[in-house]
Amino acid sequence: MMELDLQSKRTSTEAHQAFLPVKILKREMFWNYNLTRGIHGVPRRLLLDADECGFAIQKTNRSSGHAPLEVRVRKIGNYCLDTKVTVLFCIEPGDP
């Protein structure tokens, strides 16, 4: 790989729905139209970027750990596959 000057890269997955004609039109309107159809002309300081993500445990491994010989490895917490967490966050542009 070094001889070919190739590097290992991580990929991002984009949904097929993002490339539907109606979604492309909505994106175009959002960036290039004035209020109420878009944000063109709105100062950046007035915009908020909100997003949501979900986390779920897909695999658990309680059979190993690191500790001194005389101490038992024990973890207390939600170690079941049906526990899910949803995180909501919002970013405001400007000085902190």
Side-chain angles (χ1 to χ4, degrees):
M1 291 295 201
M2 295 297 285
E3 296 169 355
L4 298 175
D5 197 27
L6 298 177
Q7 295 179 344
S8 177
K9 302 280 184 174
R10 295 191 64 118
T11 62
S12 63
T13 303
E14 295 185 15
H16 292 289
Q17 296 89 345
F19 299 103
L20 292 174
V22 68
K23 299 288 186 176
I24 294 172
L25 175 63
K26 285 182 180 181
R27 188 173 350 164
E28 180 74 20
M29 290 172 59
F30 178 79
W31 290 111
N32 297 316
Y33 284 40
N34 292 326
L35 293 174
T36 61
R37 290 194 178 103
I39 62 165
H40 184 72
V42 177
R44 282 182 53 186
R45 62 183 170 79
L46 298 179
L47 300 175
L48 295 175
D49 183 16
D51 205 351
E52 173 182 3
C53 64
F55 298 97
I57 298 175
Q58 294 181 354
K59 181 179 176 184
T60 60
N61 183 2
R62 292 193 250 177
S63 63
S64 65
H66 300 282
L69 290 174
E70 63 274 358
V71 178
R72 179 177 175 217
V73 175
R74 183 172 178 223
K75 294 211 175 213
I76 299 172
N78 295 326
Y79 276 88
C80 57
L81 297 179
D82 61 349
T83 303
K84 296 179 182 171
V85 177
T86 300
V87 179
L88 302 171
F89 54 94
C90 189
I91 299 171
E92 179 182 7
D95 293 332

